[in-house]
Amino acid sequence: MIKKAVIPAAGFGTRFLPFTKAVPKEMIPIIDKPVIQYVIEEAAAAGITDILIIVSRGKMAIQDHFNPEFSLEDRLQKTGKTEILEELRSIDSLAKLHFVYQQELNGLGDAVLQAKSFVGNDPFAILLGDTVLSSATKPVTSQLLDAYEKTKSPVVALEEVPWEVTSRYGVIDGASDDEKLYELSGLVEKPAPEKAPSNLVIASRYVFTADIFDYLEKTPRGKGNEIQLTDAMRAMLKERNMYGLKFDGKRHDIGNKLDFIKSTIEFALNSDEYRQPVLEYIKSLDI
Ligand code: UTP
């Protein structure tokens, strides 16, 4: 049973400036919850009990969000706001959270390396802190953990994207019997569409065994002069089997402004409270 997860949340979030100058992008809300809370809820729903969040300077709001605020709780209690009080308390008990600093922002691979001593020899999950994966059936992390149980090998979440956007992602090459679970044969970071081996991209969730750290430690700086997780995975793939799972669900990359806008509308339209008023408002815009 995999019980540990790592959430990289140290990045600058330059795509969401100026907002991210003073507020971590992982704290961008969809309706009333910050992205990283959805991510932690997904991990907890998959049975993860210990989570290491990789942070950097200026990310204190993440720690504050998950720390109990007793004077606020006291006020809510005294004013009879028990529903929201219960909700706040349930956030505190989602999982045991740990924090570590990434001193220099040298890329996702370097961020994951900061988790080495937390992980020890256990297999573990990685969930990017700026991306929500929604699913009507099963939390996406649970789907990946099931695939890990089956293969006993590292497995990443895969999403099919339009060919013209492959240059934004890590792209896989591989084969599948069921068009769901792919055995990987190659990985390319941000290839131009004409050079992409497929249009299946790594979608912000991973399950690794602890030997990923051996490869990360040997990985030189790559694209963007950063230590790329994909480069370490490519080295690992030469020596062991790895898999990709086309998950059942949808990816919402909140670090990207258009995805953020679309996700806010979609989550509102899926909520009992906001669906009707939002639909009425859209109608009233006469567009
Ligand atoms: P992104 O590339 O989306 O994050 O990394 P970024 O660099 O913050 O974003 P932009 O491109 O400048 O807008 C994916 C995840 O990896 C984390 C980010 O916080 C994000 O959750 N990350 C990235 C780190 O923790 N450390 C890094 O050095 C880079």
Side-chain angles (χ1 to χ4, degrees):
M1 285 293 277
I2 295 184
K3 294 285 174 196
K4 290 181 185 171
V6 174
I7 301 184
F12 282 122
T14 52
R15 286 170 298 158
F16 222 112
L17 281 167
F19 178 78
T20 43
K21 185 155 179 276
V23 183
K25 72 169 164 179
E26 296 77 13
M27 292 302 292
I28 296 171
I30 309 181
I31 317 246
D32 58 357
K33 283 197 281 189
V35 185
I36 194 162
Q37 187 179 330
Y38 288 95
V39 174
I40 289 177
E41 286 172 354
E42 178 193 327
I48 299 288
T49 55
D50 275 79
I51 298 176
L52 179 71
I53 304 179
I54 318 283
V55 290
S56 56
R57 212 187 132 269
K59 300 273 184 171
M60 271 310 286
I62 299 178
Q63 268 131 303
D64 288 344
H65 182 72
F66 293 103
N67 252 343
E69 225 296 29
F70 296 117
S71 52
L72 172 63
E73 289 184 13
D74 193 45
R75 169 70 60 90
L76 294 173
Q77 181 91 56
K78 283 186 177 137
T79 51
K81 296 186 172 141
T82 45
E83 206 175 311
I84 186 68
L85 176 61
E86 288 315 313
E87 192 178 333
L88 290 189
R89 285 187 175 150
S90 71
I91 300 173
D92 301 339
S93 57
L94 281 170
K96 192 161 170 29
L97 302 186
H98 313 256
F99 293 87
V100 70
Y101 270 72
Q102 184 185 12
Q103 302 291 352
E104 269 183 69
L105 300 188
N106 289 327
L108 180 58
D110 179 65
V112 173
L113 251 183
Q114 312 309 313
K116 188 177 173 185
S117 60
F118 166 81
V119 165
N121 285 322
D122 300 324
F124 67 105
I126 299 177
L127 299 87
L128 299 191
D130 61 353
T131 306
V132 177
L133 295 189
S134 56
S135 173
T137 50
K138 203 173 195 188
V140 175
T141 296
S142 298
Q143 297 177 35
L144 282 192
L145 296 188
D146 290 349
Y148 174 82
E149 279 308 312
K150 206 161 133 188
T151 62
K152 296 287 178 212
S153 298
V155 50
V156 297
L158 294 180
E159 182 188 4
E160 200 166 346
V161 299
W163 283 87
E164 58 272 23
V165 300
T166 54
S167 60
R168 290 191 217 150
Y169 301 97
V171 178
I172 68 118
D173 196 1
S176 171
D177 291 335
D178 60 1
E179 306 266 305
K180 237 182 130 152
L181 187 64
Y182 285 74
E183 186 171 344
L184 305 191
S185 56
L187 287 161
V188 194
E189 184 62 26
K190 303 189 170 67
E194 62 279 9
K195 294 209 170 131
S198 76
N199 62 340
L200 288 174
V201 306
I202 301 175
S204 77
R205 300 290 185 267
Y206 314 72
V207 173
F208 282 121
T209 40
D211 52 342
I212 187 66
F213 295 109
D214 302 336
Y215 296 96
L216 276 171
E217 278 168 342
K218 287 186 224 139
T219 300
R221 286 171 187 268
K223 276 239 161 94
N225 200 30
E226 293 187 333
I227 298 174
Q228 299 287 352
L229 181 58
T230 314
D231 291 342
M233 288 169 62
R234 192 179 316 104
M236 195 179 198
L237 187 57
K238 286 188 185 137
E239 290 169 15
R240 61 178 302 169
N241 287 349
M242 288 175 75
Y243 292 84
L245 178 76
K246 243 166 101 179
F247 62 91
D248 182 18
K250 192 163 174 188
R251 187 173 59 91
H252 308 266
D253 172 7
I254 305 306
N256 159 329
K257 287 179 222 177
L258 184 58
D259 257 26
F260 159 72
I261 295 166
K262 287 181 184 168
S263 305
T264 301
I265 295 169
E266 192 175 329
F267 276 58
L269 292 176
N270 282 330
S271 108
D272 292 342
E273 189 174 356
Y274 295 112
R275 184 182 161 77
Q276 206 46 41
V278 169
L279 280 174
E280 278 165 23
Y281 178 67
I282 292 171
K283 227 188 240 167
S284 78
L285 292 175
D286 196 23
I287 38 180

